Amino acid sequence: MKKLIILIALLFIWCVSRAQTTVPHQVSHLRITILSTMLAQEGVGDWGFGALVECDSTSILFDSGGRKYVVRDNAKELHIDLSKAHTVVLSHGHPDHTAGWLMLRQELAGNDKNALSLTYVAPGFFNPIILPTGGKYDLRPDSATYITSGGRIETVKSWKEIAPGVFLTGNDIPRINPERNYPPTWKRLSPNGQISRDTVPEDMSMVIATAQGLVILTGCGHSGTVNLVAAVRKHFPGKKIYAAIGGFHLLAASDQQIEWTAKALKDAGIRYFMGAHCTGIRPVQQIMDYAGLKPNECIVGSVGATFDPAIGFIAGQLTMGNDKNAYFRK
C-alpha cells in the first residue's frame, strides 16, 4: 500500500511538472501596430511590411519595411518612439522586409545605444538573393556595419522564447503541405556559390501567448500558412490560435487554396485575421467568408492599424468602414 501511495505521488508530481513545461508564459498586455504595408489612411504605404509589438514592458520591431525611411516616418506620424524597442526580428532576408534595418539602428542609437541593438534572424538569412532583374541583394555588408555600431545578431534555428510569452519559430516550420508561398523567379546564392530557387528557407514567424489564445505574426508566410498553423498547434498542444496577423502571400492563390487555408485557421480557433502586405484584398474577403468571421474580425492591414486581444482591431474607416473601432484621419 505504501508503495502504491508513493507511486501515485510520483505520478502526480510528474504530471504537474509536465504541465508546467507545456504551458507557456502569457503576455498580459499586447498591442501590435502596423508600420509598413501597402494601404495607408495615415502615413505612407509601401510594398513591404513592418510592425511594432508592444507586450508588457517589452517593445519589438518586427521587420523594417520595403523603403529605407518608411517605418521611421510612419512611426513619427503615429507618435511612436522606436528607440524604446531594443529588439528587432527580421522574418526573412527579402528587401521589402529589411530596407530600414541598418538605417533605423544608426539613427536611433544616437538617442539610445540599446535601440534595436539585438536582431534575431533564422539560418540562411544572409545568403544573397539574386533578383529577377539580375541584381543581387546582399545584407552581409549591412550586418558588418550593424555589429560595428554595437549591435548583436542572433540566429534562431528552432523555437525560442525571446521575452516572457513571446516566441520565435526559427525556421522550424516543417513544410509538410505542398504550399508554394514564395516568388517563382527569385534565386538564392548559397555559401559555396551555387545558385538555386529561392524557397525562403529562413522564413520565421512570431507567436505570442495571451489569455485569449495564441497570436501569430508573420512577414510573408513563405513557409505556408497551413504549415505554420500546423507547427504552432504542434508546439502548443491544446492551445487555440486566436489571431493571425501579417503577410500571408496569398495574392496568386487559387480559390481552393484560400478555402483550405481558411479552414485550417478556423479549425485552429481563429477569431481575428489581418491580411497585410502580400496577402491580397480579395483573399482577405474570402477568408472572412470561409472562416465564418465578421467584418471587424477579418480586415485588410493598413498603416496605423492596431490589434489588442482584449479589444480587437482598431483601424481607419478605409478598412473598417463604420465599425465602432474605426477612425478617420487624413
Side-chain angles (χ1 to χ4, degrees):
M1 187 64 166
K2 185 181 291 186
K3 289 183 178 179
L4 180 60
I5 293 172
I6 293 173
L7 181 61
I8 292 172
L10 289 173
L11 181 61
F12 176 79
I13 293 170
W14 181 86
C15 289
V16 170
S17 64
R18 176 73 174 171
Q20 288 174 340
T21 59
T22 57
V23 176
H25 298 105
Q26 287 186 353
V27 170
S28 298
H29 303 286
L30 171 66
R31 181 171 61 184
I32 298 173
T33 305
I34 305 302
L35 296 176
S36 169
T37 190
M38 276 71 75
L39 286 177
Q41 186 169 316
E42 51 189 330
V44 176
D46 75 319
W47 178 268
F49 188 70
L52 181 68
V53 180
E54 297 170 282
C55 40
D56 296 336
S57 60
T58 302
S59 294
I60 301 167
L61 180 64
F62 185 93
D63 285 348
S64 61
R67 294 178 186 269
K68 196 171 183 180
Y69 300 107
V70 71
V71 165
R72 180 199 68 181
D73 294 346
N74 284 343
K76 286 181 178 178
E77 186 160 335
L78 295 167
H79 306 292
I80 291 173
D81 182 5
L82 288 178
S83 67
K84 295 180 180 178
H86 294 174
T87 302
V88 186
V89 174
L90 296 176
S91 65
H92 60 293
H94 287 179
D96 49 340
H97 297 258
T98 59
W101 173 51
L102 179 60
M103 181 279 302
L104 284 166
R105 163 62 185 168
Q106 291 175 322
E107 284 199 4
L108 295 172
N111 297 325
D112 183 342
K113 67 178 182 180
N114 293 317
L116 308 185
S117 59
L118 172 60
T119 296
Y120 289 104
V121 300
F125 179 89
F126 289 107
N127 291 344
I129 296 161
I130 308 299
L131 301 172
T133 57
K136 185 168 69 172
Y137 187 69
D138 188 350
L139 281 166
R140 290 175 296 183
D142 283 3
S143 70
T145 304
Y146 178 84
I147 292 171
T148 301
S149 77
R152 181 166 64 92
I153 299 170
E154 183 173 331
T155 301
V156 180
K157 184 176 182 180
S158 190
W159 292 77
K160 180 181 177 66
E161 189 172 14
I162 62 170
V166 182
F167 300 81
L168 297 181
T169 64
N171 61 349
D172 187 10
I173 306 171
R175 302 187 182 190
I176 55 179
N177 296 292
E179 297 175 273
R180 300 289 184 270
N181 292 12
Y182 40 79
T185 59
W186 289 41
K187 305 293 182 182
R188 184 64 66 104
L189 185 65
S190 70
N192 61 10
Q194 292 185 330
I195 297 176
S196 59
R197 184 177 183 182
D198 180 19
T199 60
V200 201
E202 78 280 13
D203 182 52
M204 176 167 66
S205 295
M206 178 183 288
V207 182
I208 306 160
T210 73
Q212 292 81 5
L214 303 172
V215 177
I216 292 175
L217 180 61
T218 183
C220 267
H222 286 303
S223 298
T225 305
V226 179
N227 289 331
L228 174 57
V229 167
V232 172
R233 297 185 75 179
K234 182 179 180 180
H235 193 77
F236 299 103
K239 298 290 182 181
K240 66 179 179 180
I241 297 175
Y242 187 68
I245 295 167
F248 295 90
H249 221 285
L250 296 172
L251 282 168
S254 66
D255 292 346
Q256 291 78 11
Q257 183 181 352
I258 293 170
E259 183 176 5
W260 172 61
T261 300
K263 184 179 183 300
L265 290 165
K266 184 177 181 179
D267 290 346
I270 192 76
R271 172 71 186 281
Y272 289 97
F273 181 86
M274 180 195 285
H277 182 37
C278 54
T279 309
I281 294 173
R282 184 169 180 269
V284 172
Q285 297 298 314
Q286 290 176 295
I287 286 173
M288 180 178 68
D289 294 336
Y290 291 137
L293 299 174
K294 299 175 182 177
N296 62 352
E297 296 172 341
C298 185
I299 68 172
V300 177
S302 59
V303 173
T306 64
F307 175 73
D308 180 326
I311 300 171
F313 294 124
I314 298 177
Q317 289 181 333
L318 177 69
T319 55
M320 291 194 71
N322 292 322
D323 187 80
K324 64 181 178 64
N325 285 350
Y327 59 80
F328 182 81
R329 297 194 198 109
K330 289 184 178 181

